[in-house]
Amino acid sequence: MDSLLGALLALTLSTPTVAFVPIGGGTFTHVSITGTALLQKVTDSCRAVAEAAGHEFKPTGTSPGELVQACLGPRAPGEVSGAKFLSALQEIYTQNGLVDRDFVNSAPHHFNSEAFLEGRGLITEGMVAIKANIRKENFKAARETLGRVLHTLQDFYSHSNWVELGYREPYSNLIRPDLPLESLADVNTPTCSDCASGTCPNQILSNILKEKKLTSGYMGIFSSQKPK
């Protein structure tokens, strides 16, 4: 546990300044989801670190600077450490958002076209790379990979029918290469109805839901035709 907390703090407290690139629209974007998740995990980790160091974890607010000030203790230089922490978070956010630009037509990066095994491969390979870079203190590379991996992991839940199948918990097999991905729809299996009107509720075929088959969406950049 101590090594994990140390790695998380090291990953987010050692960085140069980078620009923040907001990606997407609407209430929730990849960037906003990533930010919420990271700050929740950092809060949990910092609480444990503060308790181990013998001081209370009482942030004065929820901003990154206030969190890291409470994490490092009352004698830490809040302005400097807070700025580094915010810069590290922004670097992760940037790489997370840029997956939509740099890998727009890659099915595995977005869990499109039934590319479940390939998408899981990107996640697990990314986790190995993150841990290796942390051990080598290549924190910038670790942060960049973390941002990209989180984007692909998020897309599993938004681009597949995981929620429609009634699941409400994360799919732990996505980060466990030793566990199988079960009940996957084949690329040749019909999974959804045609959508000529452009507004198609309940488009997933009933037998797919009844059989608990996991299927994904298809992205047609150059054609609006649904694959057979």
Side-chain angles (χ1 to χ4, degrees):
M1 172 64 81
D2 291 339
S3 62
L4 176 60
L5 295 177
L8 176 61
L9 291 176
L11 186 61
T12 54
L13 291 177
S14 305
T15 177
T17 302
V18 296
F20 174 66
V21 180
I23 302 292
T27 304
F28 298 105
T29 67
H30 278 288
V31 168
S32 66
I33 293 171
T34 300
T36 298
L38 284 176
L39 290 180
Q40 286 178 351
K41 180 54 65 175
V42 167
T43 298
D44 294 342
S45 300
C46 282
R47 182 176 289 109
V49 169
E51 291 175 355
H55 63 80
E56 288 187 288
F57 179 68
K58 287 187 175 181
T60 56
T62 58
S63 71
E66 290 166 320
L67 286 177
V68 77
Q69 179 68 48
C71 183
L72 298 179
R75 296 183 181 181
E79 182 178 352
V80 175
S81 59
K84 291 178 65 178
F85 180 53
L86 179 59
S87 179
L89 290 175
Q90 289 176 336
E91 194 166 60
I92 296 171
Y93 301 159
T94 297
Q95 290 301 316
N96 179 282
L98 289 178
V99 171
D100 275 334
R101 185 198 71 181
D102 297 340
F103 302 98
V104 63
N105 206 29
S106 170
H109 281 85
H110 307 285
F111 278 102
N112 291 331
S113 305
E114 315 293 11
F116 290 109
L117 296 177
E118 298 88 344
R120 197 263 295 271
L122 289 176
I123 293 170
T124 55
E125 291 166 11
M127 291 172 60
V128 171
I130 290 168
K131 294 175 182 178
N133 279 309
I134 290 175
R135 287 193 295 268
K136 298 176 182 177
E137 298 189 1
N138 295 330
F139 299 120
K140 183 177 186 297
R143 284 190 294 271
E144 290 176 345
T145 304
L146 175 62
R148 293 191 292 270
V149 165
L150 288 176
H151 185 114
T152 299
L153 186 61
Q154 291 157 8
D155 269 354
F156 168 80
Y157 298 100
S158 60
H159 294 184
S160 77
N161 64 330
W162 178 257
V163 173
E164 285 83 355
L165 291 176
Y167 299 119
R168 295 296 181 267
E169 298 295 327
Y171 192 20
S172 60
N173 294 32
L174 290 176
I175 60 173
R176 292 281 305 275
D178 58 315
L179 297 178
L181 298 182
E182 300 176 323
S183 195
L184 302 180
D186 185 81
V187 292
N188 296 316
T189 302
T191 58
C192 60
S193 60
D194 288 314
C195 185
S197 66
T199 303
C200 306
N202 306 317
Q203 193 175 356
I204 301 175
L205 298 181
S206 58
N207 67 297
I208 295 296
L209 299 177
K210 184 178 180 179
E211 296 171 12
K212 289 285 187 178
K213 287 284 187 179
L214 192 62
T215 184
S216 72
Y218 289 81
M219 182 175 177
I221 298 178
F222 304 108
S223 172
S224 61
Q225 296 298 313
K226 180 178 72 69
K228 292 182 180 180

